[in-house]
Amino acid sequence: MKKVIRIVFLYILATSLLYMFAVSYSNTYNRINNEKIAPAGIVINGGEVTVSVLHDKITIDFGFAEPESRFYYVLYFLSPDSLRNAERILIEAVEVII
């Protein structure tokens, strides 16, 4: 039992230290031009997703999975019924909210 408690304590300690480091890093400013530094970010624009980690950026185009493409229909018919039902519930819930 002591080993389990020790492992859980070390996990919480390591996780909290990493979180505190990320928060403190994101709240620091560049000393040259006062630009705020963000450790990570994600921007979703239509079917394009841009993920930035520090100064590196990765852009992924998800245009093949849009409802207008043929690939979307193949994915839709290959997906399980539970996923299709959940998607339909989500779409109808969004339509009610909007």
Side-chain angles (χ1 to χ4, degrees), residues 1-9:
M1 185 66 179
K2 285 185 180 182
K3 287 184 180 181
V4 173
I5 293 173
R6 187 177 298 156
I7 290 171
V8 169
F9 175 74

Side-chain angles (χ1 to χ4, degrees), residues 2-67:
K2 285 185 180 182
K3 287 184 180 181
V4 173
I5 293 173
R6 187 177 298 156
I7 290 171
V8 169
F9 175 74
L10 289 175
Y11 175 76
I12 291 172
L13 181 67
T15 305
S16 62
L17 287 175
L18 289 174
Y19 176 74
M20 287 188 301
F21 173 74
V23 169
S24 65
Y25 185 77
S26 66
N27 289 331
T28 60
Y29 289 87
N30 188 349
R31 298 198 185 269
I32 295 173
N33 60 5
N34 288 335
E35 179 183 350
K36 189 170 182 175
I37 300 170
I42 185 167
V43 177
I44 301 172
N45 187 9
E48 188 173 277
V49 177
T50 303
V51 178
S52 60
V53 178
L54 295 178
H55 299 291
D56 298 327
K57 290 186 178 182
I58 299 170
T59 303
I60 303 170
D61 185 20
F62 285 104
F64 64 89
E66 291 184 7

